[in-house]
Amino acid sequence: MKRNMALLGVLLLGISVFAKNENGYQSEEDSIECLKKFSLYSLNLKKRMYDYAVEPWNYMFTNCPQTSVKLYSDGIKIYHHYYSTAKTKLRKSEVVDTIMMIYNQRIQYYSSHPKYPEGWILGRKALDLMKYRRGQPQAVKDAYDWFSKSFELQGDKSEDAVLFTWLKTSKSLLDHGDLNEQQFLNDFLAISTVLDVQLAKASPKVKPRILKIRKGCEDVLIRSGAGGCGVVEPLLTDQFNADSENPDNIARILNLLDKLECNQSALYFKAVEKNYAISPSHSSAHHLAKMFVKKGDFTKAAEYYHKAIVICDDNEAQSTYNYELAVLEFAHNKNYQKARQYAREAISLHGDWGKPYLLLGNIYAAGSKNYGKNDFEQATVYWVAIDNFSKARQIDPECAAEAEKQIALYSKYIPDQETGFFHGLQEGDSYKLGAWINESTKVRFR
């Protein structure tokens, strides 16, 4: 008895739900028919029996459009299935047209829904259009307009997936000349600002997703080539000030500034110093070293290169730090012996890297003028320089062109055959250089 009463209650509730339409009230017969179709399609959709669900759903879509907002989300599910199973381009196109029609009718009847209003619907509509027609120029333009309208209506409540896809759509239009660079940057700044607001309010569970979306947006900006430092730096300054004790935030800002080549600003220097203060790693010490090089404070730069080397336990990174320190000692301090020491250390840590060998060649070539007692002895230093250029060419294809150029240059300054014979030397003889160079090489003549 109780079960029958419960079923009757459900039926009466269903009739009241289906009774009202835009013209007033349907007949009781029409309302019951809508209820029957609702029950039929819902049951079949739950069992993923789409071919049995679609006919009663279509009836409701046409005859009971104000039944429930669920009618529209269910319709999208049904036609997503039909898109995935469509065999021809024509059928796929027809299905997408139907999906767009479902969104349009949802806006017609449910644009003021408290949880899913027009702005939310437009965002989802644009997502689906980009999902199924992203290669069609007009579709991309339509989707961009819907994303923009959705953002205008939703603001801080915009879904992160909508924001990310809107920016990708903006970049697509930029790439094809249908959007100017300033508008793309405006879109990025608007989206980034909203993501920051959402991040500040996000729960620990949701925060990683928003961080991922924000990084994705920054990657789109970098790939676009439109990220002018003067536009991006004020935004990043706000982000820095809002979360300046968060090492992940500081590292992200530095990474973005580096990729955009915005590493001459006050913000960059401030972020580098903060990064080392809160996270004294070898990478943050390396950032500081490079910053002091840019400032022309080579003593401080060398100090932080040494700190980076001491902290670092990664051979390749440590090799890089030694190499850069060698360049500093060579180019700025003119300390050729120290420069050679660090270049050799770089080689010991990363033996198949050609750049330290190129540097060694240049160190010896530059130091030749201070070696020996005469022009001949100075010229022999170029044999050692060429040995290192040749080694760079041999082990590292990326250095081969530069090595060839240096070999051709300095081969003009090695001793000639007549001078070599005068000093009792033959082509191919072993020859030892002394003093600070202290290297063995082979005799060759120009």
Side-chain angles (χ1 to χ4, degrees):
M1 181 70 175
K2 287 182 180 180
R3 184 179 177 187
N4 290 337
M5 290 298 292
L7 287 172
L8 179 60
V10 170
L11 180 61
L12 291 173
L13 176 63
I15 291 172
S16 67
V17 168
F18 288 97
K20 193 173 182 179
N21 66 16
E22 68 275 17
N23 298 316
Y25 288 86
Q26 298 174 343
S27 67
E28 186 176 300
E29 184 179 343
D30 289 338
S31 299
I32 291 174
E33 185 64 21
C34 285
L35 180 61
K36 284 168 55 182
K37 297 295 185 183
F38 180 79
S39 299
L40 186 59
Y41 100 69
S42 296
L43 180 63
N44 287 321
L45 181 58
K46 188 175 182 180
K47 295 179 179 180
R48 298 184 181 179
M49 298 169 63
Y50 298 99
D51 289 344
Y52 292 94
V54 67
E55 186 278 325
W57 180 89
N58 278 330
Y59 177 91
M60 290 198 65
F61 183 76
T62 303
N63 297 287
C64 327
Q66 289 181 276
T67 301
S68 165
V69 72
K70 192 174 184 299
L71 173 68
Y72 298 95
S73 56
D74 285 345
I76 296 297
K77 288 179 188 175
I78 291 170
Y79 282 94
H80 277 180
H81 163 76
Y82 281 121
Y83 185 92
S84 67
T85 58
K87 304 298 184 184
T88 66
K89 287 184 179 180
L90 177 61
R91 177 55 183 156
K92 285 180 182 292
S93 180
E94 290 171 347
V95 171
V96 175
D97 287 343
T98 301
I99 290 172
M100 295 299 107
M101 182 175 66
I102 294 169
Y103 282 118
N104 290 341
Q105 186 161 298
R106 180 170 180 167
I107 290 172
Q108 180 183 348
Y109 291 108
Y110 287 97
S111 62
S112 299
H113 191 279
K115 190 172 181 181
Y116 305 112
E118 181 179 359
W120 184 92
I121 301 167
L122 282 169
R124 288 301 182 98
K125 180 183 178 185
L127 280 176
D128 273 349
L129 190 63
M130 285 301 292
K131 179 179 179 180
Y132 295 128
R133 287 180 175 167
R134 62 179 175 271
Q136 300 178 22
Q138 187 56 50
V140 175
K141 292 177 184 177
D142 290 342
Y144 178 82
D145 290 342
W146 298 337
F147 280 131
S148 301
K149 181 65 175 177
S150 171
F151 180 76
E152 181 185 325
L153 294 171
Q154 291 292 96
D156 294 352
K157 296 179 181 178
S158 298
E159 292 184 282
D160 51 22
V162 168
L163 295 172
F164 180 50
T165 311
W166 177 29
L167 188 64
K168 290 199 295 183
T169 306
S170 182
K171 180 182 177 296
S172 179
L173 291 175
L174 174 69
D175 291 343
H176 291 88
D178 295 316
L179 195 75
N180 62 53
E181 187 173 290
Q182 186 58 54
Q183 185 57 53
F184 171 79
L185 288 171
N186 289 345
D187 294 340
F188 170 79
L189 292 171
I191 290 165
S192 186
T193 301
V194 166
L195 288 173
D196 285 345
V197 171
Q198 293 180 352
L199 196 58
K201 299 176 181 177
S203 67
K205 185 178 180 181
V206 174
K207 190 168 286 189
R209 173 184 169 85
I210 299 176
L211 287 170
K212 185 177 179 181
I213 291 288
R214 185 168 72 174
K215 183 182 182 304
C217 289
E218 290 168 353
D219 289 342
V220 171
L221 172 68
I222 290 163
R223 291 197 303 272
S224 75
C229 298
V231 176
V232 175
E233 282 171 5
L235 170 71
L236 295 181
T237 298
D238 289 341
Q239 293 177 355
F240 176 87
N241 293 333
D243 200 9
S244 63
E245 298 301 321
N246 181 349
D248 292 335
N249 186 49
I250 303 303
R252 177 189 65 83
I253 289 171
L254 281 173
N255 183 55
L256 185 57
L257 289 171
D258 276 331
K259 287 182 177 178
L260 293 171
E261 298 182 359
C262 302
N263 48 16
Q264 300 293 330
S265 66
L267 171 64
Y268 184 81
F269 295 145
K270 191 175 179 182
V272 167
E273 290 180 302
K274 190 66 174 181
N275 189 40
Y276 186 77
I278 63 178
S279 181
S281 64
H282 67 86
S283 59
S284 60
H286 181 224
H287 257 116
L288 267 175
K290 292 195 295 182
M291 182 188 78
F292 282 114
V293 168
K294 290 185 179 78
K295 285 186 170 183
D297 189 340
F298 304 120
T299 301
K300 275 286 190 183
E303 176 187 333
Y304 280 101
Y305 272 123
H306 284 295
K307 287 182 178 181
I309 290 166
V310 169
I311 296 171
C312 185
D313 58 1
D314 177 84
N315 283 357
E316 193 164 326
Q318 204 177 96
S319 177
T320 299
Y321 304 156
N322 274 281
Y323 169 75
E324 291 179 9
L325 181 54
V327 172
L328 184 152
E329 292 292 352
F330 169 61
H332 299 291
N333 296 339
K334 309 299 181 187
N335 190 329
Y336 300 149
Q337 292 186 56
K338 269 193 176 181
R340 180 178 66 171
Q341 173 192 334
Y342 298 129
R344 284 176 169 175
E345 186 64 24
I347 289 168
S348 73
L349 293 161
H350 191 183
D352 59 353
W353 189 24
K355 277 190 172 183
Y357 283 105
L358 288 176
L359 180 58
L360 277 176
N362 284 307
I363 290 168
Y364 286 129
S368 65
K369 63 180 178 295
N370 297 320
Y371 176 80
K373 300 174 183 177
N374 52 52
D375 291 344
F376 169 74
E377 290 185 354
Q378 289 179 1
T380 62
V381 181
Y382 294 121
W383 290 334
V384 181
I386 290 170
D387 290 342
N388 284 280
F389 295 136
S390 298
K391 183 68 173 178
R393 177 181 61 184
Q394 174 192 339
I395 65 169
D396 191 344
E398 291 186 5
C399 294
E402 179 62 22
E404 289 281 3
K405 188 168 127 184
Q406 298 295 334
I407 291 168
L409 173 63
Y410 290 109
S411 292
K412 298 174 185 177
Y413 302 109
I414 62 175
D416 59 29
Q417 193 171 47
E418 183 180 346
T419 306
F421 287 165
F422 178 79
H423 287 84
L425 297 175
Q426 299 283 340
E427 185 92 28
D429 284 352
S430 180
Y431 187 86
K432 178 68 181 279
L433 287 85
W436 71 274
I437 293 178
N438 194 30
E439 293 274 2
S440 293
T441 185
K442 292 287 185 185
V443 172
R444 71 216 80 162
F445 301 124
R446 65 175 185 263

